[in-house]
Amino acid sequence: MKIGIPREIYPEEKRVAASPDSVKQLIKMGYQVVIESNAGAAAQFTDDSYKAAGAEIVPDAASLWGGVDMVVKVRPPMENPDSKQHEADLLGEGKNLISFLWPAQNKELMDRLAARKATVLAMDSVPRISRAQKLDALSSMANIAGYRAVLEAAHHFGRFFTGQITAAGRVPPAKIMVIGAGVAGLSAIGTAVAMGAVVRAFDTRPEVADQVKSMGAEFLMLSFEEDGTGEGGYAKVMSPEFIKAEMELFAQQAKEVDIIITTALIPGVRAPILITEEMVKSMKQGSVVVDLAAEQGGNTEGIEPGKVVVKHGVTLIGYTDLPSRLATQASNLYAQNICHLLKDMTKDGVFSVNMEDVVQRGTTVVNQGEVIWPPPKLPPPPAQPKKAPTPPPAHGHGKHGHSGPAEDPAETRRRLLTYMGLGGAVLALVGMSAPPAFLAHLTVFALSCFIGYMVIWNVTPALHTPLMSVTNAISGIIIIGAMVQMAAPSGTVVALAAIAALLAAINVAGGFLVTQRMLKMFRKE
C-alpha cells in the first residue's frame, strides 16, 4: 500500500505530515511512502533526507494524489490557488485520507469526499481518552501553540519577563494571565513561569487548579460554584450568572496584568468573547494579548485572525498558525501521531478500519463514501463505588462476637509501658548471660538504627520515594556501623569497613541529589 505525503498549499503553512524518521517507521510497517518534492522544505526536511529514509519523491501533486492508496496531510483538502483544482477531486476514488478536517465546520468538504467513495480519518476527531493519547494530534499542536504564544508575547512586550535588580534600578517581573488551563494553557503557563514571569491562570474546570499550582502559577478562583467540565476534556458553555462573574474577574485582572493569553474553545461553536474592548482599553500601554482561539473567531473583541494589530496602545496577536511557526517540532510530533494511528490500524501489513474499536470509529468520519460523523457518544466512565461508612463501635461482650467500647488512651499508655518494661527485662537477662562481644555489637546496632532513622529516614516522605527512604535509612545504619568498626585492630576489618562506608555514602548522596533535582522542578528560580 502506498502512502502519499503532499506539500501543504494552505497559505503560510510550513508543516508536513511526515518526517524522515516517521517514513522509516511506515516502511517497517510494510507501507511504501511517496513524498511530493519540497513537501518538507519549510520544516527543514530535504528531499534527500526523505530519499535516505526510503521514500520515493514525485515532482507534483497530481502525480502523488493519483498514484497512492492513502494521502496523509496536515490541513483539510482545499482548492489550489494556482491550478484552481480542489485537492479532494485529486483523491482517487475509493482511496483513503488522513488529515485535520473539522467536520462540524466543513460539511461541504465532507460531502465532496463522500462522493469520491473515500474513507476519511479526521485527526481532530480522535476521542480524548487515555488509550488514544498517543494519537492526539490536537494536544500535540496545542502544546506547541501554548509555548509559541509566550514567545510571541515576549517578542512584542517591551520588558523582561523576569524581575531584576540592577545598578540602574529595579525591574519588576511581568504579570501574565492565562485563560484556559487545557494543554495549550498549561504549556503557556510552564513556559512563562520558566521565563520568570508572575503567572495567574483561570479555568472553568476546578479540577485543573492543582495542575496550575504545581507549575508555580496562581489559580484564580471565583466565589461561584459551577463545574465547567465538558465532553472530551473541553470546557462547556457556562450559565449566564457564571459568565457575568468571570467577566468581572477578567475586567479586574486586565487592569493589573501585562500580558493576557486566551485559549478558550468550545467544540462546534464560535469561540466565546472573554476580553472585551473595554478591558483592552483598561490595560496598561504596551500590554499584549495573544489569542489562541483567533481561528475560531477569537476570545478577544477586536482581534483580527492572522494579524498583529495595536488598539488602544495594546498589541493584539491573532496568529492562526502558531504550531506552524515551530514547523520542525510540529511536523515531528504530528508525524508520530500518524505513525501511532497507522500502527493500530495495520494488521499483517494491511490497513483496515475496525468499527468495533472506539478510537478508530471516533476518528473515522467518512467510511467508503458514507458520512458517519458524528460518532456515537462514548459511554460515561464507571462510577466509583462509594465507600461504605464505618459503623460506630457496638457495645457488647467480646465472647458473643461484638466489639467492645473504644479503648481509653490511658490504657494504651499503660500497655506501651508494659511492653517497654518487658523489653528492658529481656535485654537485662541477655546482658547477664551474653558474652561482652555480643553486647558491644548489640549496642552498635541499636545506636546505628536510631541515628540512621533520625538522620536519613526522618526526611519528609514527599521528597523522595518510599524505596529511597528505606535504602537511605539502611545506608545510614551501615555508615555508623562501619565508622565504629574502623577502630578495630584488624587491617582487613578496617578496609572492609571503609569500603562499606564509602558505598553507603554514595547511596545516601545520590538519594539526596535526586531529591534536590525533584525539588528544583517545582521551585521558581
Side-chain angles (χ1 to χ4, degrees):
M1 188 177 197
K2 284 189 176 182
I3 295 177
I5 311 294
R7 180 174 59 85
E8 298 294 326
I9 60 174
Y10 187 88
E12 302 301 323
E13 179 58 70
K14 299 178 182 179
R15 291 173 292 178
V16 64
S19 65
D21 287 340
S22 73
V23 167
K24 295 176 183 178
Q25 295 180 47
L26 294 174
I27 291 174
K28 283 183 180 179
M29 294 181 206
Y31 294 103
Q32 300 176 45
V33 182
V34 181
I35 310 283
E36 183 181 350
S37 181
N38 291 322
Q44 312 302 320
F45 301 137
T46 64
D47 287 350
D48 288 340
S49 65
Y50 283 121
K51 286 181 182 177
E56 174 189 352
I57 307 297
V58 296
D60 52 37
S63 303
L64 182 134
W65 285 79
V68 298
D69 304 294
M70 176 188 296
V71 173
V72 181
K73 63 191 311 291
V74 180
R75 291 276 183 173
M78 61 178 290
E79 184 179 283
N80 192 313
D82 298 326
S83 66
K84 304 301 179 184
Q85 191 171 19
H86 202 287
E87 288 179 312
D89 298 334
L90 294 175
L91 185 65
E93 189 165 332
K95 303 302 183 183
N96 307 287
L97 171 69
I98 300 177
S99 75
F100 282 109
L101 207 68
W102 311 110
Q105 290 85 22
N106 288 320
K107 185 179 184 307
E108 182 182 347
L109 176 59
M110 296 272 286
D111 294 338
R112 198 164 192 159
L113 291 168
R116 303 294 298 171
K117 307 296 182 185
T119 295
V120 182
L121 282 76
M123 293 303 292
D124 47 274
S125 296
V126 172
R128 308 198 89 175
I129 58 177
S130 298
R131 183 163 63 88
Q133 285 182 351
K134 61 184 179 180
L135 322 174
D136 193 352
L138 279 178
S139 292
S140 297
M141 299 302 105
N143 182 27
I144 295 173
Y147 175 83
R148 184 69 191 199
V150 177
L151 299 188
E152 295 293 342
H155 175 67
H156 289 88
F157 187 54
R159 297 204 323 261
F160 295 133
F161 268 26
T162 185
Q164 292 189 6
I165 298 177
T166 69
R170 180 179 178 274
V171 179
K175 295 179 181 178
I176 299 179
M177 177 173 67
V178 178
I179 301 178
V183 176
L186 291 173
S187 177
I189 291 168
T191 306
V193 169
M195 293 176 69
V198 174
V199 184
R200 305 166 183 174
F202 174 82
D203 198 285
T204 58
R205 298 163 297 169
E207 66 268 19
V208 302
D210 288 340
Q211 299 178 50
V212 170
K213 293 175 184 176
S214 71
M215 299 182 76
E218 175 190 355
F219 188 75
L220 300 172
M221 298 290 293
L222 283 180
S223 56
F224 193 103
E225 292 188 5
E226 183 174 348
D227 190 350
T229 305
E231 293 183 6
Y234 291 99
K236 68 178 183 181
V237 178
M238 307 300 290
S239 68
E241 293 81 8
F242 186 95
I243 293 174
K244 180 182 177 182
E246 74 172 1
M247 294 298 277
E248 291 174 354
L249 174 67
F250 297 157
Q252 175 191 348
Q253 292 294 322
K255 299 174 183 177
E256 301 178 14
V257 301
D258 304 298
I259 296 169
I260 297 177
I261 298 174
T262 67
T263 69
L265 283 171
I266 298 174
V269 299
R270 188 201 182 283
I273 293 291
L274 301 177
I275 304 299
T276 64
E277 187 173 1
E278 288 300 318
M279 296 179 195
V280 174
K281 286 182 181 179
S282 71
M283 296 181 73
K284 292 172 282 190
Q285 292 288 305
S287 298
V288 179
V289 177
V290 186
D291 196 329
L292 271 67
E295 194 165 6
Q296 301 300 322
N299 301 135
T300 308
E301 198 170 6
I303 200 78
E304 296 185 23
K307 298 180 181 180
V308 177
V309 296
V310 179
K311 295 184 178 180
H312 310 294
V314 178
T315 302
L316 305 181
I317 302 176
Y319 289 143
T320 59
D321 61 345
L322 288 171
S324 182
R325 289 170 179 264
L326 288 171
T328 304
Q329 184 68 72
S331 299
N332 272 317
L333 291 179
Y334 184 71
Q336 287 303 313
N337 293 140
I338 294 294
C339 285
H340 288 308
L341 176 65
L342 290 176
K343 187 174 182 179
D344 288 350
M345 302 182 71
T346 304
K347 305 297 181 187
D348 300 325
V350 179
F351 171 82
S352 63
V353 181
N354 179 10
M355 286 298 171
E356 300 300 319
D357 184 280
V358 65
V359 175
Q360 296 182 32
R361 173 62 186 88
T363 308
T364 306
V365 295
V366 181
N367 185 34
Q368 298 178 356
E370 179 187 359
V371 176
I372 58 173
W373 189 89
K377 286 190 175 183
L378 295 175
Q384 295 292 332
K386 291 186 178 180
K387 199 170 183 179
T390 304
H395 296 277
H397 300 285
K399 65 180 180 180
H400 295 298
H402 301 291
S403 59
E407 190 172 4
D408 184 18
E411 177 64 27
T412 303
R413 284 195 297 270
R414 282 194 295 271
R415 183 177 299 174
L416 179 61
L417 290 172
T418 302
Y419 289 153
M420 291 177 64
L422 289 174
V426 170
L427 288 176
L429 291 173
V430 170
M432 292 173 63
S433 58
F438 175 80
L439 290 179
H441 287 91
L442 181 60
T443 302
V444 169
F445 179 75
L447 288 174
S448 299
C449 288
F450 177 76
I451 296 174
Y453 176 83
M454 297 303 295
V455 173
I456 307 296
W457 207 343
N458 208 30
V459 174
T460 304
L463 299 184
H464 45 63
T465 65
L467 177 60
M468 192 184 301
S469 299
V470 173
T471 57
N472 280 356
I474 295 173
S475 298
I477 296 172
I478 295 172
I479 290 174
I480 300 299
M483 291 172 64
V484 172
Q485 293 302 317
M486 286 181 186
S490 171
T492 304
V493 173
V494 172
L496 291 174
I499 293 172
L502 175 64
L503 295 178
I506 292 173
N507 188 49
V508 172
F512 279 108
L513 179 62
V514 172
T515 298
Q516 290 301 317
R517 292 185 63 181
M518 292 174 66
L519 285 174
K520 285 181 180 179
M521 295 171 59
F522 301 98
R523 183 182 298 139
K524 184 175 179 180
E525 297 293 341

